[in-house]
């Protein structure tokens, strides 16, 4: 909204990262046409967001890495992405096993750089086909984690997904973290996680053998860092800690000597965001009270909250911001505190019988 007046003044060039684009797409959908060109780098633009932005702006995505700098670009259209076209000063080839080799004047090291990206040649450029380091073996069978994620995204209940390899008690197993679409939330809240898990396993069984199907699922916001990227260590942490469902969001249980603590991040598709507000969504206070009540009941199944005392909402909570929820015994009831992982207080109060 703050950018709209500047866009009205004439042609604009915007430099962004993929994490900005979903919010930008929402604003452009409600605005008039602008002469706007967007350069996006620092991560991959998703197939769900790219076409939306491309309906209202010229979207150029830059491909590269910290080691090589920017080496290629592609143009998005409302129908999808074009092929990657290397910059004139960049030399490239694809080796026999499919890995992309780059030689860039901006690279840290001189000479060819062997990347972990798999690619194929197309019309003077290339298409990326996943990553070499995301091909794993499970029970002696090869599996492309990128391909499994792509198959999951074909299901209408899924907004985004990441799969990873976990060390099980007897063998390694596949785990899936899933951000749900509105349909996915409706299934989760109306029919339960078991029905949704079976739906996704049935979808994946069309392309993968049973031994390769995910054995663990987490539903909620994917753990993105400040750059909008998903780091493997954060993804694995979702599954290493015990989890509970708070209003359909997978929350990690945290260590605490007394009471109960959990951490969660609200996905952008969370149904309770509806009406709060379209351009700048915030998590309503009633949802935060619901989490606190649920955790108090987990800590003490016999406790039945009938009133809330001293409820305060100290600051706005937005989607995808991780928060910590603490509930602690207070007289005959429970007190709760919700704050971000950076220590910003969000809400607090007391739940009484």
């Amino acid at each position: 909204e703050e950018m709209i007046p500047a866009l009205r003044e004439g042609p604009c060039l915007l430099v962004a990262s993929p994490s900005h684009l979903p919010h930008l797409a929402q604003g452009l959908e409600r605005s008039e046409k602008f002469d706007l060109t967007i350069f996006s780098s620092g991560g991959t633009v998703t197939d769900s967001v790219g076409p939306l932005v491309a309906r209202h702006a010229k979207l150029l995505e830059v491909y590269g890495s910290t080691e090589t700098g920017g080496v290629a670009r592609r143009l998005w259209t409302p129908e999808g992405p074009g092929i990657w076209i290397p910059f004139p000063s960049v030399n490239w080839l694809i080796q026999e096993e499919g890995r992309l080799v780059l030689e860039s004047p901006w690279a840290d090291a001189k000479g060819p750089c062997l990347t972990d990206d798999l690619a194929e040649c197309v019309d003077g450029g290339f298409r990326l086909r996943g990553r070499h380091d995301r091909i794993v073996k499970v029970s002696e069978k090869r599996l492309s984690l990128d391909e499994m994620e792509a198959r999951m995204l074909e299901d209408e209940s899924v907004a985004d997904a990441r799969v990873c390899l976990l060390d099980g008690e007897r063998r390694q197993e596949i785990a899936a973290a899933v951000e749900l679409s509105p349909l996915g939330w409706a299934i989760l809240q109306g029919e339960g996680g078991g029905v949704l898990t079976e739906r996704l396993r049935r979808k994946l069984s069309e392309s993968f053998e049973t031994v390769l199907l995910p054995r663990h699922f987490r539903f909620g916001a994917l753990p993105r860092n400040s750059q909008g990227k998903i780091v493997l260590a954060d993804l694995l942490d979702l599954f290493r800690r015990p989890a509970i469902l708070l209003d359909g969001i997978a929350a990690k249980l945290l260590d605490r000597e007394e009471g109960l603590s959990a951490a969660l991040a609200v996905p952008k598709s969370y149904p309770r965001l509806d009406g709060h507000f379209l351009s700048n969504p915030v998590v309503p206070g009633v949802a935060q009270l619901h989490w606190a009540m649920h955790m108090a009941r987990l800590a003490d199944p016999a406790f039945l909250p009938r009133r809330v005392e001293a409820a305060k909402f100290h600051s706005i909570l937005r989607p995808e911001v991780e928060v910590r929820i603490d509930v602690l015994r207070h007289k005959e009831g429970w007190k709760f505190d919700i704050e971000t992982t950076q220590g910003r207080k969000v809400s607090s109060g007391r739940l009484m019988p």
Side-chain angles (χ1 to χ4, degrees):
E1 290 182 349
E2 295 177 359
M3 290 191 300
I4 297 299
L7 295 178
R8 292 193 181 107
E9 294 179 3
C12 287
L13 175 64
L14 178 65
V15 179
S17 70
S19 61
H20 300 135
L21 297 183
H23 308 291
L24 182 62
Q26 292 178 0
L28 293 175
E29 284 284 342
R30 298 187 303 275
S31 303
E32 63 269 32
K33 296 290 185 180
F34 300 111
D35 187 356
L36 174 62
T37 299
I38 302 171
F39 282 94
S40 177
S41 187
T44 303
V45 177
T46 64
D47 290 340
S48 60
V49 171
L52 295 178
V53 177
R55 291 212 304 256
H56 304 278
K58 183 179 181 181
L59 175 58
L60 282 167
E61 183 179 4
V62 178
Y63 163 73
S65 66
T66 303
E67 294 76 24
T68 64
V71 295
R73 81 282 189 190
R74 67 177 176 180
L75 176 66
W76 281 80
T77 71
E79 287 70 45
I83 64 171
W84 290 106
I85 303 297
F87 295 129
S89 55
V90 174
N91 296 318
W92 63 283
L93 61 87
I94 297 173
Q95 64 168 203
E96 288 185 5
E97 62 177 353
R99 294 172 71 178
L100 181 64
V101 180
L102 296 166
E103 188 171 5
S104 165
W106 304 286
D108 292 337
K110 300 299 181 182
C113 173
L114 177 63
T115 74
D116 281 319
D117 290 320
L118 301 174
E120 64 177 6
C121 292
V122 182
D123 299 330
F126 59 85
R127 292 191 191 279
L128 296 177
R129 296 301 186 193
R131 288 181 59 85
H132 177 265
D133 58 359
R134 300 206 76 215
I135 296 177
V136 300
K137 269 195 171 183
V138 178
S139 298
E140 303 304 317
K141 298 183 182 295
R142 285 167 58 89
L143 170 67
S144 167
L145 301 180
D146 289 318
E147 182 182 354
M148 179 168 282
E149 290 168 1
R151 299 290 80 76
M152 292 185 71
L153 287 170
E154 293 174 356
D155 192 278
E156 293 182 352
S157 67
V158 177
D160 202 355
R162 290 293 186 277
V163 293
C164 60
L165 195 62
L166 293 181
D167 290 325
E169 293 183 3
R170 292 178 295 176
R171 62 181 177 86
Q172 291 185 307
E173 300 170 338
I174 299 299
V178 183
E179 279 189 6
L180 298 175
S181 68
L183 173 63
W185 278 103
I187 295 173
L188 180 65
Q189 296 185 324
E191 304 179 59
V195 172
L196 188 56
T197 296
E198 181 56 30
R199 174 191 174 107
L200 295 177
R201 284 177 59 88
R202 188 167 57 249
K203 167 65 180 177
L204 293 175
S205 68
E206 298 172 1
S207 306
F208 304 97
E209 297 181 48
T210 302
V211 70
L212 298 177
L213 299 182
R215 297 177 62 87
H216 310 274
F217 283 84
R218 293 288 187 269
F219 301 117
L222 296 178
R224 293 179 172 85
N225 62 16
S226 58
Q227 296 177 306
K229 296 182 178 180
I230 299 171
V231 180
L232 178 59
D234 295 334
L235 190 63
L236 293 173
D237 194 49
L238 286 179
F239 299 95
R240 287 174 175 158
R241 291 182 178 273
I244 57 174
L245 277 181
L246 293 180
D247 201 22
I249 304 173
K252 298 176 294 184
L253 285 177
L254 306 176
D255 297 330
R256 187 181 177 92
E257 292 184 2
E258 52 183 329
L260 199 62
S261 295
L264 62 78
V266 173
K268 288 180 288 188
S269 55
Y270 185 45
R272 294 188 189 273
L273 296 178
D274 288 349
H276 301 85
F277 297 91
L278 190 59
S279 58
N280 288 293
V282 299
V283 181
V286 66
Q288 299 172 42
L289 290 175
H290 184 94
W291 304 338
M293 290 178 181
H294 187 102
M295 288 183 60
R297 292 291 305 276
L298 282 176
D300 181 4
F303 175 67
L304 183 62
R306 297 185 183 277
R307 68 183 192 277
V308 180
E309 295 181 349
K312 295 181 180 179
F313 298 95
H314 306 274
S315 62
I316 289 175
L317 176 60
R318 299 197 182 278
E320 298 187 339
V321 175
E322 188 172 44
V323 294
R324 176 183 176 122
I325 308 163
D326 295 310
V327 294
L328 187 66
R329 176 66 77 178
H330 175 79
K331 298 180 180 178
E332 68 271 26
W334 293 81
K335 66 178 181 179
F336 69 90
D337 288 284
I338 300 177
E339 63 180 39
T340 68
T341 51
Q342 284 73 41
R344 174 171 58 83
K345 207 167 185 62
V346 176
S347 59
S348 61
R350 296 189 296 269
L351 306 173
M352 304 304 291

